[in-house]
Amino acid sequence: MSDALPGDAVDRILEQWARERPDLDVSPMGVIGRLSRCAALLSQRLDGVFAEYGLSGWEFDVLATLRRAGAPYQLAPTELFSSLMVTSGTMTHRLKVLESKGWIVREASNQDARSTLVRLSGDGFALLERALEGHVANEHAILSALPARSVDALEKRLAELLAALETPRG
Amino acid sequence: MSDALPGDAVDRILEQWARERPDLDVSPMGVIGRLSRCAALLSQRLDGVFAEYGLSGWEFDVLATLRRAGAPYQLAPTELFSSLMVTSGTMTHRLKVLESKGWIVREASNQDARSTLVRLSGDGFALLERALEGHVANEHAILSALPARSVDALEKRLAELLAALETPRG
DNA sequence: AAATGTTATCTTGAATTCAAGTTAATCATG
DNA sequence: CATGATTAACTTGAATTCAAGATAACATTT
């Protein structure tokens, strides 16, 4: 009886629905609401550290995708927007900004004249390496609020859900 | 040896980091990456059903917040943008759109002349009631891909994480 | 090789959001 | 009640994103 009263923002939403629509089983809103809310709050926390390095979240994401691809840290725009789950138009804009900041360079592909490959510049690489350390430390700090066993269990369940969501149909 | 090869998008990211930066413990990226990705995919699935009712995700969110507040389905803009985690400027814009569509009406507050209360119109109420049923059915369908026990476990872990994230500091 | 279809990227215009600043009303304190 | 601080809502301008369409290069088939 020590967890009945306080609750979080999602508990209050569920209570409201129980009062207003007791005929509906809104229990899925509990999981899905908490998941969305966690994602929103997490993204705020991560952005805070990215900003310390003069980066926005999406800037870090693009640079990190190039970095982890391995030398020569080079990918085609299509590979980038596919893994980052954004449209081609969004990627065009992102690359323009990153290029103007000197963190990426572009060069024509030998394989395909339609494609201009994107490569991390020296500055971009160095900046990402620094930001990456801060980012990983931040993620460790955030998760340290939970017992390691809970984090493991959370990841297992999320992997199940992600597999279901990545499967066509459902 | 049946789960080593396939993996999901996040597994591939973790493998890349392990190859490129074996010195870093990037395990938090597993949980946090999957969480973000689940949230993005979930939001796409939910939007698909909202669209069947001519609604966008944020439109449903605002109408639902008013609906579950209970009769007379009326809240101040400040209450709305606080629970929906958006800025006041965003809410001004949202309310203008919803008003132009006839789903909300506005009236001056008796209590506070600065505040113009927002109330669901008859149309807005009826639309939300219909969309709500489709939305809840959709959420049930999505989660039915997982054993009930997994969903329960997932929610428990997410509640822990959410509590940590809602706590000031960390 | 010519025709057809596909792919990679970019362009355009609109939608959504936020940060910062504005205005007006309310509250608190002397 | 006067002053200053706070609050509620809105305005403005910029950033980010997407959908839809355009363009050019590639692939396949005849």
Side-chain angles (χ1 to χ4, degrees), chain B residues 28-45:
Chain B
M29 287 188 184
V31 206
I32 293 178
R34 274 182 243 271
L35 181 52
S36 309
R37 214 164 173 96
C38 283
L41 293 172
L42 267 175
S43 143
Q44 283 179 8
R45 295 252 196 147

Side-chain angles (χ1 to χ4, degrees), chain A residues 77-78 88-89 106 114-115:
Chain A
T78 297
S88 63
R106 315 188 68 168
R114 292 168 299 179
S115 187

Side-chain angles (χ1 to χ4, degrees), chain B residues 15 30 36 49 58 81 85 101-102 113 123 132 138 142 150-151:
Chain B
E15 283 161 17
S36 309
V49 167
W58 67 256
F81 72 69
M85 300 204 299
K101 293 186 175 178
D123 279 0
L132 178 62
N138 188 28
I142 291 170
S150 290
V151 176

Side-chain angles (χ1 to χ4, degrees), chain A residues 23-96:
Chain A
D23 58 310
L24 283 181
D25 172 13
V26 297
S27 56
M29 287 190 186
V31 207
I32 293 177
R34 275 181 243 271
L35 180 54
S36 309
R37 214 166 174 96
C38 282
L41 293 171
L42 268 174
S43 142
Q44 284 179 7
R45 295 253 195 147
L46 301 189
D47 284 350
V49 166
F50 295 144
E52 292 174 14
Y53 298 88
L55 286 167
S56 64
W58 68 256
E59 287 172 332
F60 177 88
D61 287 342
V62 175
L63 299 183
T65 302
L66 290 167
R67 172 62 185 85
R68 67 174 198 262
Y73 313 112
Q74 191 174 53
L75 292 172
T78 297
E79 297 173 292
L80 283 170
F81 74 67
S82 300
S83 29
L84 291 168
M85 297 205 302
V86 298
T87 64
S88 63
T90 296
M91 191 51 60
T92 297
H93 169 255
R94 288 184 175 187
L95 296 177
K96 193 176 303 178

Side-chain angles (χ1 to χ4, degrees), chain B residues 77-78 88 114-115:
Chain B
T78 297
S88 63
R114 292 169 299 180
S115 188

Side-chain angles (χ1 to χ4, degrees), chain A residues 53 55 63 98 101-105 119-131:
Chain A
Y53 298 88
L55 286 167
L63 299 183
L98 293 174
K101 292 186 175 177
W103 295 333
I104 62 169
V105 294
R119 187 165 45 81
L120 268 185
S121 71
D123 280 1
F125 183 93
L127 173 58
L128 182 94
E129 290 289 291
R130 276 183 283 125

